[in-house]
Amino acid sequence: MTGRAEHETRTPGRLDSLLTGITTEAISAAGGFAGGVYLRSSTPGLLRLAVLSGLPGPLFRPWWRLHVDRRFPVADAYRLGVQVVLPDATETMRRYPQFAAGLPFQFGSLYVPVTGKSTTYGVLTLLRPSVSDTTEVLPDRDRMAQLAEDLGEALWTLEEDGGPDVAWDGEPLCVRPPVARPPAGRIGRFTWDPASDVVTADNRLHALLGVAPGRSTDTPQALADAVGPADAHQILTALRETAAGRPPPLPLPVHAADGSLRLLELWNLDDTAVPPATRAVRGLVLDPDIGSAADGAADLLPEGVFCLDRLGLIVYANERAARLLDRPRAQLLGRPFGEGVPWLDRPAYEDHLREALLSSEPVHFHVVRPLPPAENVSPELPGGDWLALSVYPGSDLLTCTVVPSNRMAEPAPDLTPPPEGPLCEGHRAAGAPQTAGPAAEVTSMAPLYRPIVLAIALTEAVTARQVSAVVMQELLPAFGGRRLAIYLLQERHLYLAWETGFPQGFLAPFEGVSLDARLPGVETLTGGRPLFFESMSQLAAAYPGIALDATEGSRAFLPLIASGRPVGSCILGFDRPRSFSTEERTVLTALAGLIAHAMEKAQRYDTEAALARGLQQALLPRRLSAHPRVETVGRYLPGTQGMEVGGDWYDVVESGDGLALVIGDVQGHGVQAAATMGQLRSAVRAFALGDRPPDEVMSGTNHLLIDLDPGLFASCCYIRLDPLTGVARVARAGHPPPIIRYPDGRTHVLDIPGGVVLGVDPHAHYPVTELQLEPGAILALYTDGLVERPGVDIDEGITALRVALARAGSPAGRPGGRSLAGVADRLTATARHVADRPDDIALLLATRRSEPQR
């Protein structure tokens, strides 16, 4: 661990400072413009964004929480323990279409798991400019990996030092990124109460002035001396004049002790109940170094100009911008963009700002400015209410220009006029005349984000469980729901397929209800129309006597109908009463159709998959040949990411006075792979029953596969075991090496030479290795599905299996031992609980008994 990380774990608030320090260092070291850290939470399977640097937190709220099983880069990095490198938007769309649908902008990103010892705490993320060549990102990835390693060790140390388990359950810390130049354009605020003659300043002003909070600025004189000592008298006069209702022209230029320019803005609280000269005065101090950059932009685009920092705060605005945005400059500077210009704080404009923050190209769009009262309409806006905004990204700041759209003689560079069409609000503002300029704004993707992501995710879900999980993860957050129940129709009855959020046992009385029942979940399906209840009292009035849970929220009942056929019903629950707009009702109804089609497809999949699995199981041995001195146990887990059958198999065959232990894996999946597996299994059994030597068994099976010419190859491991002496003779054809666990608990991966896979070379040679299997030792044969993980070397997986076998315990009969079946279950437990297994898994264990079984 670096000295920096070690120091951080011993300081107050060390988790916060550690996370923010690593994030900003990653941005600087790896050439990014934003970054963050996701950490595990106290909710199993849920990651939360703990730190976000370089982006406004509220603007990225949809990505604050993330389930680990979603197809997102952060989730993959955490769940699989791999680094994810996305150099540009094309690669992002190819690999993570759901993620790209929400942020369809030109940027690259890196994701590195944060691991300490054997614990994965979260993921370090970095957003950076896109590049066309992945190799350009590799040095940045290596620097990120080192920082993630430092962070993982520091978090592990934090827990080891007696701290609580590292988890994050709150909102993210939003911090400023490292700037490309010395800090400029800083803003601080203060309030002066003339009655008490006390000045209260915020922390930003203390930082700007370089004084400690609560000191040196608590009186007007102290404030004036700290802000502009050479102009202290002018500052005091301006304060008194403002309190009396006569503020000076703004801004008031003053000079700091070093001669640098500062701008002072003052205004008083217009409270007529307070006598003049005693009204509170508010002010801000602006370090206008940013003004030079902004003035330069204004020279090029001599209209309204304002600047935002990377956290979305307005740090500069000229008078022209203030007039066009219809906000006093004093209410713009130092405020978040959505607060300074509240009529722009709408989903329709969020995507444009996100795009400017994430990409390097200018963003141009049109907005509709609310009409003021008729007597206040500005003659400068003869077209009424249309403005053209352009946002120019920068390393530290976003420079924005604003002009009346009907005064644009020609488009700004790279500006494509928005297409004609309806406003995102659904209609033109009353009285707004048609103009020769652009007459419609670009519709934001923000309102469509969740439906788009839900639609993409549903195309990837193949089982009813996966469809239900997608609805829970995407539909509920989109509408603020807390409860979900999905019922599927079977023989005119509705059965619960998925539920979350409802009190335990509450839904039990509704299980298996017939289509004759008068319940909203039934009638939404039989009537074919959604039902919306804005409160529980409204629901109770419509259905007297219906059981209600303890909440006072609202409910939406959606029919699941696909191709005119009823599939089931979906129930959404909300904790608080709420109304459903026409747009929301339309979107929910459309989404219900998507869910219904996905469920219909999933039901067909489940039926066909059951048939496929039945075929697959029929090809595996019903029982294993036994011997009084040998115990064997086999386990088989089919892959779950596709419906096609696989080609893994195992077998135990009587071979003379001994036993043959066999395991194999035919390349690929599908009926052909399964048929080839059945043929190879039969061939190996025939050779084994004839007690042929292991090398002849491998050679004979190899020639058979070449003669069959199915276009497939197979790996195999064949062991001929003498139960009395424990001598085992092994031949291997491109298969993972066996693992042995000795009676004393030691484990070893057997270094057995082998030949190439079966079905490739008719002249292949398969050497035989002899080893000794002591009584009580366990021999483990397995297929690669048990030890392979995406992005991880297979040797690491084999090592993990060896460690797991060492911990699994001895077979029954030894002190503290575990049955051989228990050992097999323990070795496959993790894989058994993985929702999406990309490959089949086969495992065969064998052990010798010291005494024959009676």
Side-chain angles (χ1 to χ4, degrees):
M1 185 194 311
T2 64
R4 171 193 46 73
E6 187 173 351
H7 169 72
E8 290 282 5
T9 60
R10 299 196 181 106
T11 58
R14 48 190 176 175
L15 178 59
D16 292 1
S17 61
L18 174 63
L19 295 175
T20 56
I22 287 286
T23 301
T24 54
E25 187 170 343
I27 293 174
S28 296
F33 54 76
V37 177
Y38 281 87
L39 289 181
R40 62 187 184 181
S41 69
S42 59
T43 303
L46 183 68
L47 299 176
R48 285 183 178 271
L49 183 62
V51 169
L52 179 63
S53 177
L55 295 172
L59 200 60
F60 292 85
R61 185 180 293 272
W63 296 271
W64 284 8
R65 294 156 41 103
L66 192 66
H67 288 268
V68 298
D69 56 352
R70 291 180 66 184
R71 293 290 301 276
F72 269 52
V74 170
D76 276 2
Y78 179 86
R79 185 180 67 257
L80 303 176
V82 299
Q83 299 174 1
V84 177
V85 179
L86 303 174
D88 55 21
T90 301
E91 182 69 5
T92 303
M93 176 60 77
R94 185 184 71 82
R95 295 177 58 185
Y96 298 99
Q98 294 181 48
F99 178 57
L103 296 171
F105 311 125
Q106 294 297 324
F107 68 96
S109 53
L110 300 173
Y111 308 85
V112 181
V114 175
T115 304
K117 301 302 180 182
S118 60
T119 301
T120 300
Y121 294 103
V123 177
L124 178 62
T125 69
L126 180 78
L127 307 184
R128 64 187 315 279
S130 61
V131 295
S132 57
D133 187 355
T134 305
T135 59
E136 297 181 36
V137 188
L138 298 183
D140 296 337
R141 182 199 63 182
D142 294 340
R143 286 188 282 268
M144 287 269 292
Q146 183 59 57
L147 289 171
E149 181 180 343
D150 289 349
L151 178 58
E153 291 186 28
L155 295 178
W156 181 82
T157 301
L158 192 64
E159 290 185 337
E160 287 296 298
D161 287 347
D165 290 344
V166 172
W168 195 272
D169 292 303
E171 296 186 354
L173 301 173
C174 296
V175 298
R176 297 185 181 281
V179 294
R181 59 176 181 269
R186 297 171 296 167
I187 293 176
R189 292 177 174 271
F190 65 89
T191 301
W192 171 48
D193 181 4
S196 61
D197 205 31
V198 172
V199 173
T200 304
D202 65 8
N203 291 335
R204 291 195 186 100
L205 182 59
H206 294 139
L208 188 153
L209 300 178
V211 299
R215 297 179 54 195
S216 303
T217 60
D218 52 357
T219 67
Q221 185 66 55
L223 175 70
D225 290 340
V227 172
D231 301 307
H233 176 73
Q234 186 180 7
I235 293 173
L236 292 173
T237 300
L239 286 170
R240 289 191 294 268
E241 291 292 316
T242 303
R246 298 185 299 273
L250 300 180
L252 180 67
V254 296
H255 293 83
D258 60 1
S260 61
L261 179 66
R262 287 174 177 160
L263 300 179
L264 177 65
E265 304 239 5
L266 301 173
W267 67 98
N268 69 302
L269 298 181
D270 190 13
D271 187 353
T272 57
V274 179
T278 60
R279 295 172 183 171
V281 174
R282 288 184 178 176
L284 61 84
V285 179
L286 170 66
D287 176 352
D289 285 351
I290 182 60
S292 58
D295 290 341
D299 290 338
L300 296 175
L301 298 168
E303 299 290 352
V305 177
F306 61 98
C307 296
L308 309 176
D309 70 2
R310 296 294 304 183
L311 293 189
L313 294 181
I314 302 174
V315 297
Y316 174 85
N318 65 5
E319 286 291 346
R320 178 70 170 147
R323 287 196 299 270
L324 289 173
L325 296 176
D326 196 26
R327 305 291 291 175
R329 289 186 69 237
Q331 295 182 25
L332 292 174
L333 297 179
R335 296 180 184 272
F337 182 59
E339 179 184 330
V341 193
W343 58 271
L344 282 177
D345 187 23
R346 293 156 50 193
Y349 308 125
E350 287 181 354
D351 270 338
H352 300 304
L353 187 53
R354 274 194 285 260
E355 182 178 4
L357 286 161
L358 294 177
S359 62
S360 58
E361 296 298 320
V363 177
H364 310 283
F365 58 102
H366 287 71
V367 300
V368 57
R369 175 176 173 267
L371 285 173
E375 65 272 14
N376 293 332
V377 172
S378 171
E380 298 184 27
L381 294 175
D385 57 358
W386 284 100
L387 302 175
L389 264 68
S390 297
V391 185
Y392 297 86
S395 58
D396 302 325
L397 297 168
L398 282 72
T399 301
C400 311
T401 65
V402 54
V403 296
S405 64
N406 60 331
R407 290 188 59 187
M408 292 178 61
E410 58 185 34
D414 300 323
L415 188 152
T416 302
E420 295 290 335
L423 303 182
C424 73
E425 306 304 316
H427 59 276
R428 176 176 295 276
Q434 297 286 346
T435 68
E441 64 177 307
V442 177
T443 302
S444 168
M445 280 191 60
L448 299 176
Y449 164 63
R450 289 290 181 181
I452 289 174
V453 172
L454 177 63
I456 294 174
L458 286 175
T459 64
E460 299 178 351
V462 294
T463 67
R465 178 192 59 79
Q466 291 172 342
V467 171
S468 301
V470 166
V471 175
M472 180 192 71
Q473 295 167 8
E474 299 296 346
L475 189 61
L476 285 185
F479 294 90
R482 297 285 185 176
R483 293 165 169 77
L484 169 70
I486 294 179
Y487 286 86
L488 297 180
L489 181 65
Q490 297 180 21
E491 299 179 353
R492 292 189 57 80
H493 289 76
L494 288 174
Y495 295 92
L496 185 65
W498 183 280
E499 67 90 12
T500 183
F502 286 94
Q504 186 174 5
F506 173 75
L507 296 177
F510 304 102
E511 178 70 3
V513 297
S514 73
L515 294 186
D516 299 326
R518 189 175 185 276
L519 293 169
V522 173
E523 293 188 347
T524 188
L525 182 61
T526 57
R529 60 185 182 87
L531 302 175
F532 299 94
F533 300 95
E534 299 181 356
S535 66
M536 298 302 280
S537 58
Q538 192 180 87
L539 174 60
Y543 292 89
I546 189 174
L548 303 175
D549 56 23
T551 65
E552 293 296 328
S554 53
R555 293 287 183 270
F557 297 84
L558 308 175
L560 302 182
I561 300 175
S563 304
R565 293 187 296 273
V567 176
S569 59
C570 176
I571 304 172
L572 300 180
F574 304 86
D575 285 347
R576 298 177 181 176
R578 57 160 293 172
S579 60
F580 296 90
S581 67
T582 301
E583 180 185 12
E584 287 177 319
R585 293 175 185 237
T586 302
V587 171
L588 283 171
T589 303
L591 293 179
L594 290 177
I595 297 167
H597 280 284
M599 275 296 181
E600 185 183 45
K601 180 186 69 174
Q603 288 178 312
R604 289 198 304 267
Y605 170 89
D606 290 339
T607 300
E608 295 170 4
L611 294 174
R613 299 307 178 202
L615 169 63
Q616 195 170 34
Q617 291 294 335
L619 294 174
L620 293 172
R622 293 181 178 274
R623 64 178 183 85
L624 301 177
S625 298
H627 190 281
R629 284 187 176 271
V630 178
E631 180 183 2
T632 58
V633 169
R635 293 289 183 267
Y636 174 78
L637 301 178
T640 59
Q641 286 189 352
M643 188 174 62
E644 296 180 326
V645 294
D648 291 21
W649 93 94
Y650 61 87
D651 209 348
V652 179
V653 187
E654 293 182 7
S655 182
D657 57 356
L659 288 178
L661 311 174
V662 191
I663 195 163
D665 182 3
V666 177
Q667 168 220 12
H669 295 82
V671 174
Q672 187 177 18
T676 302
M677 178 264 281
Q679 291 172 312
L680 293 185
R681 175 174 171 253
S682 298
V684 172
R685 285 186 67 87
F687 288 129
L689 289 170
D691 201 14
R692 302 278 292 276
D695 56 336
E696 293 185 18
V697 174
M698 288 289 95
S699 295
T701 307
N702 179 48
H703 283 102
L704 173 66
L705 184 57
I706 292 174
D707 291 341
L708 292 173
D709 192 21
L712 302 175
F713 59 83
S715 67
C716 184
C717 184
Y718 181 94
I719 301 178
R720 203 283 188 184
L721 174 65
D722 186 333
L724 298 180
T725 64
V727 173
R729 304 182 70 236
V730 186
R732 191 163 65 96
H735 201 80
I739 302 175
I740 189 169
R741 184 187 191 278
Y742 299 105
D744 61 4
R746 293 179 298 113
T747 55
H748 181 60
V749 178
L750 298 175
D751 185 14
I752 297 174
V756 298
V757 292
L758 304 174
V760 174
D761 181 7
H763 305 292
H765 174 65
Y766 299 96
V768 177
T769 302
E770 189 171 293
L771 57 91
Q772 184 73 33
L773 185 65
E774 305 173 34
I778 299 176
L779 189 63
L781 307 178
Y782 52 93
T783 56
D784 55 12
L786 187 60
V787 293
E788 279 190 330
R789 290 190 302 168
V792 179
D793 190 89
I794 191 172
D795 290 339
E796 295 184 25
I798 294 175
T799 299
L801 179 61
R802 179 186 63 77
V803 172
L805 181 60
R807 296 173 178 172
S810 303
R814 294 183 60 85
R818 181 182 284 107
S819 69
L820 194 65
V823 174
D825 290 338
R826 188 177 180 90
L827 295 181
T828 56
T830 300
R832 194 179 302 276
H833 290 91
V834 171
D836 296 313
R837 288 188 297 273
D839 198 3
D840 297 3
I841 292 173
L843 173 70
L844 178 62
L845 302 181
T847 185
R848 285 181 64 217
R849 300 185 179 97
S850 56
E851 297 293 335
Q853 186 181 41
R854 298 180 181 180

